[in-house]
Amino acid sequence: MKYISEYRDRTLCENLSEKIKRSHRKPINLMEVCGTHTMSIARNGIRQILPETINLISGPGCPVCVTSQYEIDQFIELANQKDVIVTTFGDLMRVPGSRSSLQKERANGADVRVVYSTLDCLAIAQKNPAKEVVFLGVGFETTAPTIAAAILAAENKNLKNFSVISAHKIVPPALVALMENAQVNVDGFICPGHVSVIIGAQAYAPIAEKYHVPCVVTGFEPADILQGLFMLVEQFENDEAKVEIAYRRTVTWEGNRRAMQILDQVFESVNAEWRGLGVIAGSGLKIRDEFSEFDALRKFALDVPYAADPPGCACGEILAGTKNPFQCQLFGKSCTPETPVGPCMVSSEGTCAAYFRYRARDIEL
Amino acid sequence: MCLAVPMKVIEIDGNRAKVEMGGTMRVVGLDIIDPLPKVGDYVIVHAGFVINIIDEAEAQTILHDFAVLFGDDDEVHF
């Protein structure tokens, strides 16, 4: 496969790591806000080849993890409606709500199906005209345009039995919320590669400027991440705060305009609650009125009480970067990938799952 | 979940494309990409849709820059 093996080359990565060590002097806290970065950093042992004074913090980068308990409860309630087929990406299945999970509801007879793409949902809706097919829309700007495209396709096909519950979230407002949070100490952002494919690197310019924080858009192979870290360290040492791209083979300054246009056509921004971060202004996506027939929240009157996060679970603080997984009293004890309490342990991109699986050696209790 | 993978375009039929990676074939949507990729292009696929085309020249430039930076400025050997 082109441009995978090259960016995993060991000698190249060692050279990049040396370059970082040579340019680095001041202690620095760098936060990644993408679950795939979290996993790649853990899997490739990136922490182990960096000086101890470069502290990599995992932020709110896993879309399943930042989904609020209330939203999970709504999904479960939907799965229990009569004549409803709930469709979802696989990583939501095991996330515990207040009383159950989608997986448990499926075991109890609910029709919950894991799909690879919203195109699959449309096919299910066409095959099951007597049922309502609902897609659980979770994800950031990478995913939201694909859901918007499905809604537009459903409208074109005059498909009346397809709808979406939109729990999508958008990334830049979360970065603002983190910078406004006095508990959070971030000197630079490793910006998400594939969210940035859509929104373009320019989306971070106001944040870099207002908070004087370097932002580098980074790819997912070890060399991409190391190159991004080098660029962040260089900026920090030079007291700069620019937006730069370390993933130029697919990320541009402007982003994917077609995807953004489709996203804006179908969704409008609203305030949204993030697990651990609270309500963030303008960080959610609601289906616009003209597409209300595809909005599951308007089709179904769901009666779901507001729910708090599970007791003892530190997922909220872990998502805000104020705690690492080893500082959670449940981590590795009552909370493991087999028996997850919180979403950070459930999702394959969750910070706790990454730490549990790869046991970052340099994190002290 | 935000995992997006590079795949090669094998066939294009309207706003759907057949793509391949390591022997795995998928049919994906071209609804949110403009301009459209061509057969033979490498694309980034997320949740069943092509979200961008990999710029081969840019990828080569960066690899070449690394090679120069680390003292192997003749040819990129990986």
Side-chain angles (χ1 to χ4, degrees), chain A residues 1-4 6-7 9 12 15-16 19 36 63 89 91 116-119 138-140 142-143 145-146 149 194 197-198 227 247-250 256 258-259 262 349, chain B residues 1-4 6-7 16 20-21 26 28-29 31-34 42 44-49 51-56 58-63 65-66 69-70 78:
Chain A
M1 172 57 56
K2 273 189 174 176
Y3 314 123
I4 291 188
E6 292 94 331
Y7 284 88
D9 180 76
L12 171 59
N15 285 335
L16 281 165
K19 220 170 125 199
T36 313
F89 296 141
D91 35 4
Y116 161 73
S117 145
T118 48
L119 299 175
V138 166
F140 300 124
T142 330
T143 317
T146 73
H194 293 137
V197 163
I198 306 291
Q227 190 199 2
Y247 192 29
R248 294 203 317 259
R249 60 194 183 278
T250 186
N256 178 338
R258 172 91 179 119
I262 287 176
E349 294 174 7
Chain B
M1 181 173 141
C2 266
L3 184 66
M7 300 185 90
R16 297 285 174 264
E20 184 264 339
M21 181 189 63
R26 291 272 189 207
V28 296
D31 311 55
I32 58 168
I33 177 80
D34 180 39
Y42 283 82
I44 303 279
V45 173
H46 173 69
F49 289 82
I51 60 168
N52 214 353
I53 301 166
I54 296 176
D55 187 325
E56 186 167 352
E58 196 66 73
Q60 290 289 7
T61 303
I62 293 164
L63 289 168
D65 288 351
F66 282 143
L69 191 66
F70 299 127
F78 291 111

Side-chain angles (χ1 to χ4, degrees), chain A residues 109-121:
Chain A
D111 195 345
V112 182
R113 304 187 193 181
V114 172
V115 292
Y116 161 73
S117 145
T118 48
L119 299 175
D120 303 339
C121 309

Side-chain angles (χ1 to χ4, degrees), chain A residues 227-282:
Chain A
Q227 190 199 2
L229 293 174
F230 172 70
M231 290 157 91
L232 284 165
V233 166
E234 283 264 285
Q235 283 200 44
F236 186 63
E237 292 290 338
N238 296 330
D239 197 27
E240 290 176 319
K242 295 181 292 192
V243 180
E244 292 180 293
I245 306 173
Y247 192 29
R248 294 203 317 259
R249 60 194 183 278
T250 186
V251 172
T252 60
W253 194 249
E254 299 82 19
N256 178 338
R257 289 187 175 175
R258 172 91 179 119
M260 286 303 281
Q261 181 248 318
I262 287 176
L263 187 146
D264 286 340
Q265 188 182 348
V266 174
F267 295 110
E268 59 187 316
S269 65
V270 287
N271 298 344
E273 186 183 349
W274 295 53
R275 191 184 291 262
L277 302 179
V279 174
I280 302 176

